[in-house]
Amino acid sequence: MLKIIVRRTLLWSNICSIAALLLSVFLPCVNPGQWWPAGFSGFFFPFLFLLCLLYTAIWAWRKNRKYGWMNIIAILCAMPAALTTWGVHIFRENIISKQTNSGQFTLMTYNTSSMGLERYVTNKDKEAAIYNTIASGSPDILCMQEFYTNDKPGNEQHLQRITSTGNYPYHYFTRDKTHWESWHYGIVLFSRYPIITASAIPSVKSSTGSGSTFLQADIAINGDTIRVFNVHLISYMFKGEDYENMKAPKGTGLVYKMRRTFPTRSSQALQLSALVAASPYPVIVCGDFNDTPVSFTYKTISRNLQDAFLKTGTGWGRTLSYLSPSLRIDYILAQPAVNIHGSKVFHNRPSEHFPVMACLSLKKN
């Protein structure tokens, strides 16, 4: 009797896991702005995938092939999503240093969380981690989201400091929000290559000052021109108390906050995808999408683009330092006209986001 109960419990829990896995794979094809439950599905994919692998091993151990094959079929259906979640280049040498006279250049994307500014006071440990990472990577093109700088003498003049210490003669700052005349917030791009033209393309209204616009820059590199989009899609705007109030009434709960962002982020993804398609130059898209690889956001933006981490990396590629080891939400994507030679995620605690850097070059006709 006990064996029957155990087998039936295993079977029905496995069936539920398979159903949840398939939903997490296929629901991100649906625009969550039109049907909000689709926005949650991709968060659980990595764990459901691993759970079905575990059930496969359990049924093999119990010598029940029929139920084992049930999991194998589900896993095969989920493989495309798995290949956007994990990097599989275990034996590839992942090099981000440039080769001399090769036309290669490096690009880093980094959500700086207001350069360590917390309640109008700078956290010096976080600020130091940011500058140490920039110095360590020394990217030719540095794209930063949630950037903060202050024009007032004696305050944190990050724009001038990075321009000077990083040897960046060119930059463009969106200045999406200003406090007290001298406190500026937005998205910024620093470059050692000439910026031909740059603009802030209106997207949505964001209270953070980073995410209200897309930064578009045309950059001259080795006789060619590339177009870089530096973006920060709308975030959930979680606060400390939100993590303690997941079961709060509608209007204050964590789930409700997430649900409210889905239509806006979906529209941003569609807008950005259209901008990429209309570009006359090879495109690189980078930034904080605030969504996982198994999501409508990622599927929409990454269509016909290469993911630098997936092309060269291994493992999770985690870019958010808290909540879950599966959260890769910061990306570097490039059109097929761009070669991706290597990539790296800098695990630079105590920063909230881990920056991503890639070594790239333009294909020659």
Side-chain angles (χ1 to χ4, degrees):
M1 184 65 179
L2 180 60
K3 288 184 178 180
I4 295 174
I5 293 174
V6 170
R7 183 174 64 83
R8 288 182 177 177
T9 301
L10 274 174
L11 176 59
W12 284 107
S13 63
N14 189 186
I15 290 172
C16 290
S17 299
I18 288 174
L21 174 66
L22 295 178
L23 285 173
S24 73
V25 169
F26 295 110
L27 277 182
C29 297
V30 178
N31 186 336
Q34 299 172 353
W35 194 60
W36 64 264
F40 290 101
S41 55
F43 289 107
F44 307 104
F45 169 78
F47 306 103
L48 292 169
F49 187 87
L50 295 174
L51 184 59
C52 285
L53 284 175
L54 177 61
Y55 274 115
T56 304
I58 291 173
W59 292 124
W61 175 66
R62 293 176 66 89
K63 298 181 180 179
N64 194 319
R65 294 182 180 180
K66 179 173 62 175
Y67 298 146
W69 276 108
M70 178 175 67
N71 285 275
I72 290 172
I73 292 171
I75 289 168
L76 290 174
C77 291
M79 281 306 296
L83 293 176
T84 65
T85 300
W86 290 287
V88 296
H89 299 279
I90 300 173
F91 302 107
R92 171 174 175 160
E93 188 177 11
N94 191 2
I95 300 175
I96 61 169
S97 58
K98 300 175 294 182
Q99 296 181 11
T100 306
N101 300 322
S102 64
Q104 295 177 4
F105 60 94
T106 52
L107 181 148
M108 176 185 285
T109 180
Y110 195 175
N111 183 324
T112 67
S113 301
S114 298
M115 298 298 291
L117 191 69
E118 299 173 345
R119 298 181 180 179
Y120 305 108
V121 177
T122 296
N123 181 317
K124 292 300 181 180
D125 289 337
K126 291 184 177 180
E127 181 188 61
I130 292 167
Y131 278 97
N132 289 339
T133 302
I134 295 172
S136 174
S138 188
D140 296 315
I141 301 172
L142 174 61
C143 297
M144 306 176 87
Q145 307 87 40
E146 289 195 33
F147 181 75
Y148 153 74
T149 189
N150 200 314
D151 293 341
K152 189 175 181 179
N155 284 5
E156 297 85 357
Q157 298 183 347
H158 295 300
L159 193 66
Q160 296 87 338
R161 182 178 171 187
I162 293 175
T163 298
S164 175
T165 61
N167 188 26
Y168 294 112
Y170 311 96
H171 75 270
Y172 183 80
F173 181 32
T174 61
R175 295 179 187 267
D176 292 328
K177 184 177 181 180
T178 298
H179 272 156
W180 305 307
E181 297 184 353
S182 65
W183 302 57
H184 305 292
Y185 306 83
I187 299 174
V188 67
L189 182 149
F190 298 94
S191 176
R192 293 175 183 151
Y193 296 98
I195 298 177
I196 301 170
T197 182
S199 61
I201 299 174
S203 180
V204 301
K205 186 64 177 177
S206 172
S207 61
T208 65
S210 180
S212 301
T213 60
F214 298 150
L215 191 161
Q216 174 184 295
D218 295 340
I219 303 175
I221 298 181
N222 302 320
D224 293 305
T225 302
I226 65 167
R227 177 163 290 179
V228 176
F229 289 100
N230 180 10
V231 303
H232 180 209
L233 304 192
I234 189 168
S235 71
Y236 297 118
M237 295 302 298
F238 290 156
K239 299 178 181 178
E241 60 269 22
D242 290 321
Y243 301 108
E244 302 173 4
N245 297 329
M246 291 190 69
K247 297 182 181 180
K250 182 179 178 181
T252 59
L254 188 63
V255 171
Y256 181 75
K257 273 198 169 185
M258 295 173 71
R259 174 181 168 181
R260 285 189 308 174
T261 66
F262 293 156
T264 304
R265 191 158 54 247
S266 297
S267 67
Q268 286 184 299
L270 292 167
Q271 179 188 3
L272 182 56
S273 179
L275 289 170
V276 171
S279 172
Y281 307 116
V283 169
I284 299 169
V285 178
C286 66
D288 177 5
F289 293 2
N290 272 306
D291 227 332
T292 67
V294 185
S295 66
F296 177 84
T297 302
Y298 179 86
K299 286 178 178 290
T300 301
I301 299 172
S302 67
R303 188 174 294 117
N304 300 321
L305 300 180
Q306 310 170 87
D307 187 319
F309 170 73
L310 296 180
K311 289 284 290 185
T312 60
T314 303
W316 293 96
R318 178 184 188 178
T319 66
L320 195 65
S321 65
Y322 56 95
L323 286 183
S324 169
S326 66
L327 289 178
R328 183 166 75 95
I329 63 174
D330 303 86
Y331 305 91
I332 296 175
L333 309 176
Q335 286 185 328
V338 179
N339 292 308
I340 300 174
H341 303 283
S343 66
K344 179 179 179 180
V345 178
F346 291 77
H347 297 96
N348 59 335
R349 297 181 187 278
S351 291
E352 294 179 6
H353 286 254
F354 298 145
V356 184
M357 182 165 136
C359 182
L360 311 163
S361 68
L362 282 171
K363 294 180 179 177
K364 298 297 182 180
N365 295 327

